[in-house]
Amino acid sequence: MDGDHRTAGAPGDDLVVTGVSKRFGGVPALSQVSVTIKAGTVHALIGENGAGKSTLGKIISGVIEPDEGSVVLGGAPLHMRSPREAMAHGIVTIAQELAIVPSLSVAENVYLGAEVATGGFVRRREARRRFRELAQRVGFDLQPDVPAGALSTADKQKVEIMRALSRNASFVVMDEPSAALSSHETAALHHIIRSLTAQGTAVILISHFLSEVLSLSDTITTLRDGHLIRTVEASGATEDSLIEGMLGRSLSAAFPDKTPAPPDAPVVLDVSHLCAPKVEDCSFVLHCGEILGIAGLVGAGRSELARAILRDARSSAGSVRLDGQELAGHSPRRAIRRGLVLIPESRKEMGLLMGRSVRENISLSRLDLVSRAGWVARLRERREVAALMSKTTVKAADMGLPATMLSGGNQQKLLFARSVMCAPTVLIADEPTRGVDVGSKRAIYDLLVQMAQDGMGIIVISSELEEVLGLAHRVLVMRHGRISAELTGPDMTEGAVLAAAFAETSAS
Amino acid sequence: MTRHTMSNVAPPTDLEAVASGTRASRLMQSWRMAGIFIPFLILFIVLSITSSAFLHTANLINILDQQASTLCIAAAGTLVLVAGGIDLSVGSTYALAGVTAGQIGQHHSIFIAIAVALAIGLLVGLVNGVVVTVFKISPLITTLAMSYVIEGLALKITAGNLILTGNIPGFTTFATATFLSVPSAVWMTAVFVVVLALLLSRTTFGRYVVAAGGNAEAARLAGVRVGGIKITTFVLSGLAAALGGVIDASRLGSILANSGGAGLSFTVLAGIVVGGTSIAGGEGSGWRTAIGVLFIALIGNGFDLLGVDPNWQQIVLGLILLVAVGLDMWTRRARR
Ligand SMILES: Nc1ncnc2c1ncn2[C@@H]1O[C@H](COP(=O)(O)OP(=O)(O)OP(=O)(O)O)[C@@H](O)[C@H]1O
Ligand SMILES: [Mg+2]
């Protein structure tokens, strides 16, 4: 397929969304939303989790059809029944929930649906050449031939971005493209977005990072509960005004006050000389009531360290002592029973049962709490789950809804609710707020701080530097599988973390 | 532009209304929920009207009696499928258990005969489960291979001869003794099916089965013993196959090393799938499996009663299977 087959719209035409509404079952996800996306601009969509941003993005890119209203390009309403048809109009999308075929190679995934082929035969060498060119242009370091399933979440995100870019679109919908990227990859992405607009492509950017939104976009549309609140010029907006529009109230601060653990707090987790694939000789302690941040580049081994602490790495040496006792065994189950809980980095692949209900997803780890002799007490389960949902601000019309039907941020909160139910002594949260809106982020932060004050030890792994610095009492920086720096108190600065994360390796 | 307040959250709607979207997706949803019940009811009513012989207690009990073994095996097979596995060895396990019970029953008490037969089923299931989870060989291949091994063993034991069980005192009574004029085979099956269906829908074990089949890695990280759960489903399946074999050996008075076989394995699978359980794992229900099996049985019974060419049965069954699997795929895709 190529761009010349457009049936409507010429380069330079604006994309006009008029009065679209979408209901899922009885629940409205979008009501009468109208926006105009000018060619060659960055148009941001912001709003709380479940506000309808992805739904609007999906309507624009033909993934779902609106119940009412239409999408107009160059004066002609588009009738798109599939992403493929949208692509023919020059509209492509990068989905929030990654759509990667794990068994296909990286290059095959990038050209999926638009294979480089002659007469039905895929021209592999040509595809690889184009892939290299594209990778160079966008500055991503990806091998074309490895199976995409083996990639980290961030690399999968890059594959999605490359897929969209390979289609030479005039409108690109990016649904939280930077959620899984580290800071320098995010910088690369921003560069790409700017160069796209310079070439006349419009980018519809959905993001929860308001600084990103403010620095990149020309126009910002705020949605709340499916309604359009306002569309403003980015130059006239501030973070506070955007938050006010999203939440309907202002947020005093992004982070709660820090209350560091007393210096004599007992050690709850003692990791010494831990080695595992991608983890080399890591040692540190965690105290009761302490929030320990782990920063580093994507691929520095942070998630692998988390898995190794859980004793879930295939081969690992060293010791992990929880409450003074060696954590034996090799299963997450053992760790959970001992009070060590992990929120994994990828909610779709490692966290949720996507087809199952909110209720089942939340109670999965601690069904024993809501059952007697193996028999699930449904009423007790409902009550318990409802309490956890409000505690972690999960927004779902019904706890019987399957996880797929929740917005991305709310899916993330399900994992949080599940781990709160485990009442752990140590919680390792790997990217705990990926895709979560500012208001709910604050709710999760408050919850983390509260749990720490109650004596829990918490490890926060995050690619968001602000999050690590804003929450943690102490920060470890990882590089190439090793802990390259430990920062406390006034040393915890963005500069110090970046220096430790990037520093050239002299030895090793 | 519409103004509105934060309190304007969607009112709590009834689950099904929310879960369903467009009219088409609501239709699909109800296929999952009510699933096979509606076609079953329609077929039942049609047969009651068109055939005078159909709606007689004797005919209905006879259908249940004939389907007893299939119902037991399919009830357990549902758990295997939901946990993300598949068991193609049930047909031969059924035969091996049947002939073993018959052989041992010639010389020993029928208690020992039945106990050994069930133990064999359990063992087969254990081997299946361990090979699948520990050696990570696909369940399709594992159980296919096992089915040859088991059938070979059964042939070896019987030297290919018909094993007569009708002459063993007490053995026939096992499945044919009647209580309230319903044979014990039907009673046992009813208990077995209800227990397994409740196990899947209402217990923690059932939740873990669903989790293991829905997303094994997520389940493992959430603290579910995925391996153990999968092995347990295979053990239950083996046990059910053996029970089915013993019931039929007792009911029919004779059994062969190659009764059951692939034919039975596929009939069981067909019943489960027609019942709406997904072959991809992660969802399913024991109740619907029972109805699915009976639905297929009704088609056979109805065709017999109406004197339709039996070849049509095969064709119709095949088409129904395609529709069932097609609907499953459709609902899955629609949810993406
Ligand atoms: N397939 C679906 N079926 C039913 N409801 C859905 C479906 N997809 C989305 N919804 C509902 O529609 C609403 C809007 O969802 P949407 O994904 O657009 O939110 P969002 O603004 O992208 O949120 P987030 O920031 O969390 O990604 C939510 O309440 C969600 O639960
Ligand atoms: Mg979204």
Side-chain angles (χ1 to χ4, degrees):
Chain A
M1 186 184 314
D2 64 49
D4 298 330
H5 287 182
R6 279 173 211 167
T7 50
D13 282 337
D14 295 346
L15 187 75
V16 184
V17 177
T18 48
V20 295
S21 299
K22 179 74 192 174
R23 298 168 78 85
F24 289 109
V27 187
L30 272 186
S31 320
Q32 294 292 330
V33 171
S34 304
V35 284
T36 300
I37 291 139
K38 295 206 185 71
T41 63
V42 178
H43 193 124
L45 295 178
I46 61 168
E48 283 180 291
N49 295 132
K53 306 179 296 295
S54 297
T55 306
L56 183 54
K58 284 177 190 166
I59 287 174
I60 292 174
S61 55
V63 178
I64 53 180
E65 284 182 81
D67 299 337
E68 285 167 36
S70 58
V71 180
V72 182
L73 182 61
L78 305 180
H79 295 287
M80 301 172 294
R81 276 178 310 271
S82 70
R84 206 185 170 89
E85 287 179 34
M87 236 180 262
H89 294 295
I91 306 170
V92 298
T93 179
I94 301 172
Q96 182 174 17
E97 303 305 324
L98 304 180
I100 294 276
V101 184
S103 55
L104 293 182
S105 76
V106 165
E108 283 167 331
N109 264 292
V110 166
Y111 293 105
L112 192 65
E115 281 78 8
V116 185
T118 343
F121 287 95
V122 175
R123 287 158 56 202
R124 290 172 146 241
R125 193 161 328 138
E126 172 66 10
R128 218 168 303 152
R129 194 186 59 75
R130 288 202 203 170
F131 176 88
R132 290 237 164 76
E133 245 174 51
L134 182 65
Q136 200 155 28
R137 178 155 72 88
V138 300
F140 285 164
D141 178 26
L142 282 178
Q143 290 303 314
D145 297 322
V146 299
L151 297 180
S152 70
T153 314
D155 283 348
K156 285 180 188 158
Q157 184 78 61
K158 293 186 203 164
V159 172
E160 284 258 353
I161 294 170
M162 287 181 66
R163 183 190 290 166
L165 297 184
S166 71
R167 307 296 148 91
N168 296 321
S170 45
F171 291 90
V172 182
V173 180
M174 296 191 179
D175 198 347
E176 303 192 25
S178 55
L181 300 184
S182 69
S183 50
H184 82 289
E185 289 161 328
T186 305
L189 176 75
H190 291 178
H191 183 72
I192 295 165
I193 293 179
R194 291 207 178 90
S195 67
L196 279 176
T197 50
Q199 293 160 21
T201 303
V203 174
I204 294 114
L205 176 71
I206 301 175
S207 173
H208 287 296
F209 300 113
L210 298 181
S211 52
E212 171 178 87
V213 166
L214 283 170
S215 73
L216 280 178
S217 42
D218 302 292
T219 319
I220 302 173
T221 292
T222 308
L223 296 174
R224 193 197 308 156
D225 287 340
H227 295 264
L228 182 80
I229 299 301
R230 57 178 162 256
T231 298
V232 296
E233 292 303 313
S235 51
T238 64
E239 281 200 24
D240 287 337
S241 74
L242 294 181
I243 291 175
E244 160 75 46
M246 286 166 64
L247 308 184
R249 65 190 154 87
S250 58
L251 206 60
S252 48
F255 295 96
D257 293 336
K258 288 185 192 180
T259 35
D264 59 340
V267 170
V268 65
L269 183 74
D270 182 351
V271 174
S272 73
H273 303 293
L274 195 60
C275 295
K278 282 190 153 189
V279 176
E280 285 175 49
D281 197 23
C282 287
S283 304
F284 67 91
V285 294
L286 177 72
H287 300 91
C288 282
E290 186 180 29
I291 301 180
L292 176 67
I294 300 185
L297 304 180
V298 169
R302 297 166 307 165
S303 300
E304 286 79 5
L305 175 62
R307 295 288 282 260
I309 295 172
L310 222 68
R311 284 308 198 188
D312 188 34
R314 199 155 288 155
S315 61
S316 65
S319 79
V320 176
R321 297 172 80 82
L322 188 64
D323 274 333
Q325 264 187 324
E326 184 73 31
L327 186 69
H330 281 274
S331 80
R333 180 186 178 80
R334 290 282 276 280
I336 290 172
R337 293 288 124 127
R338 287 283 310 277
L340 173 60
V341 168
L342 169 76
I343 297 180
E345 65 169 330
S346 156
R347 56 177 172 254
K348 196 176 179 188
E349 277 136 38
M350 306 191 289
L352 295 171
L353 311 171
M354 293 306 289
R356 306 304 300 187
S357 67
V358 167
R359 177 169 48 86
E360 281 175 62
N361 269 295
I362 290 181
S363 63
L364 182 62
S365 286
R366 290 313 298 272
L367 274 176
D368 56 319
L369 292 182
V370 292
S371 62
R372 191 175 294 125
W375 189 265
V376 180
R378 294 211 214 174
L379 199 66
R380 190 140 43 107
E381 189 190 19
R382 278 175 182 287
R383 232 178 295 144
E384 195 81 18
V385 167
L388 286 163
M389 281 171 72
S390 72
K391 201 168 177 184
T392 50
T393 69
V394 174
K395 190 183 150 205
D398 189 296
M399 66 171 80
L401 281 185
T404 26
M405 293 192 187
L406 263 55
S407 74
N410 280 304
Q411 290 175 5
Q412 183 68 34
K413 291 183 222 162
L414 292 186
L415 290 182
F416 216 84
R418 181 194 290 167
S419 55
V420 170
M421 188 168 174
C422 293
T425 48
V426 172
L427 175 67
I428 305 177
D430 196 353
E431 306 289 355
T433 61
R434 173 174 294 167
V436 172
D437 70 54
V438 276
S440 302
K441 256 185 193 167
R442 179 62 206 255
I444 286 181
Y445 296 152
D446 284 338
L447 200 64
L448 282 172
V449 167
Q450 182 60 48
M451 290 194 291
Q453 274 173 11
D454 294 345
M456 195 187 291
I458 294 175
I459 298 176
V460 175
I461 299 173
S462 177
S463 301
E464 251 181 87
L465 214 48
E466 285 161 37
E467 185 166 282
V468 172
L469 295 175
L471 274 179
H473 306 146
R474 184 157 61 96
V475 175
L476 303 177
V477 186
M478 284 190 76
R479 177 165 41 91
H480 298 320
R482 293 175 183 276
I483 294 175
S484 61
E486 177 178 341
L487 306 170
T488 49
D491 296 340
M492 286 170 43
T493 61
E494 204 154 309
V497 171
L498 284 177
F502 274 111
E504 277 309 310
T505 29
S506 42
S508 105
Chain B
M1 195 187 300
T2 332
R3 275 299 308 163
H4 83 121
T5 55
M6 282 300 281
S7 62
N8 187 11
V9 192
T13 345
D14 135 47
L15 170 95
E16 262 159 85
V18 175
S20 55
T22 60
R23 197 170 311 135
S25 86
R26 197 169 310 144
L27 227 157
M28 291 187 285
Q29 200 66 33
S30 51
W31 161 267
R32 276 226 174 281
M33 293 287 178
I36 188 68
F37 285 99
I38 294 158
F40 177 82
L41 266 182
I42 295 173
L43 183 62
F44 194 92
I45 293 168
V46 167
L47 285 178
S48 310
I49 296 167
T50 51
S51 161
S52 54
F54 176 74
L55 201 56
H56 282 289
T57 327
N59 183 45
L60 296 181
I61 287 180
N62 191 30
I63 295 176
L64 288 175
D65 195 37
Q66 281 171 2
Q67 295 302 318
S69 54
T70 312
L71 280 168
C72 289
I73 302 171
T78 307
L79 293 181
V80 176
L81 241 67
V82 172
I86 190 167
D87 192 349
L88 293 182
S89 67
V90 285
S92 35
T93 309
Y94 159 96
L96 179 63
V99 297
T100 314
Q103 292 277 44
I104 296 178
Q106 311 284 351
H107 313 290
H108 302 277
S109 85
I110 61 155
F111 268 121
I112 296 181
I114 293 173
V116 171
L118 296 184
I120 285 177
L122 221 128
L123 192 70
V124 170
L126 192 63
V127 172
N128 278 335
V130 167
V131 172
V132 167
T133 56
V134 178
F135 300 106
K136 310 250 185 281
I137 298 179
S138 106
L140 191 90
I141 304 299
T142 304
T143 56
L144 184 65
M146 279 295 282
S147 75
Y148 290 115
V149 174
I150 299 161
E151 190 168 328
L153 277 177
L155 280 167
K156 198 96 190 113
I157 290 174
T158 61
N161 295 323
L162 184 73
I163 303 298
L164 290 174
T165 51
N167 57 355
I168 306 170
F171 194 84
T172 316
T173 348
F174 175 69
T176 59
T178 56
F179 175 66
L180 301 176
S181 58
V182 173
S184 50
V186 176
W187 286 114
M188 281 188 281
T189 303
V191 172
F192 194 75
V193 169
V194 167
V195 167
L196 286 196
L198 285 177
L199 201 60
L200 180 58
S201 65
R202 299 301 298 275
T203 66
T204 53
F205 172 75
R207 289 287 180 83
Y208 297 150
V209 168
V210 169
N215 185 344
E217 177 66 357
R220 206 178 61 81
L221 283 176
V224 176
R225 281 199 208 92
V226 172
I229 296 291
K230 286 194 172 175
I231 292 176
T232 311
T233 62
F234 278 107
V235 167
L236 284 171
S237 176
L239 189 69
L243 179 65
V246 174
I247 286 179
D248 276 2
S250 158
R251 217 168 50 81
L252 303 171
S254 68
I255 188 157
L256 269 170
N258 48 10
S259 353
L264 178 61
S265 296
F266 288 135
T267 310
V268 165
L269 205 56
I272 300 172
V273 171
V274 168
T277 292
S278 161
I279 18 168
E283 50 197 328
S285 128
W287 312 115
R288 284 188 274 127
T289 290
I291 300 294
V293 169
L294 291 177
F295 182 74
I296 293 175
L298 279 198
I299 295 177
N301 186 256
F303 278 38
D304 287 347
L305 292 179
L306 298 174
V308 183
D309 178 356
N311 291 330
W312 276 108
Q313 285 184 31
Q314 302 266 3
I315 295 171
V316 169
L317 177 57
L319 293 178
I320 288 174
L321 255 177
L322 274 182
V323 170
V325 176
L327 275 174
D328 176 52
M329 289 302 170
W330 193 27
T331 48
R332 275 172 182 272
R333 207 171 22 211
R335 271 211 318 260
R336 290 255 156 82

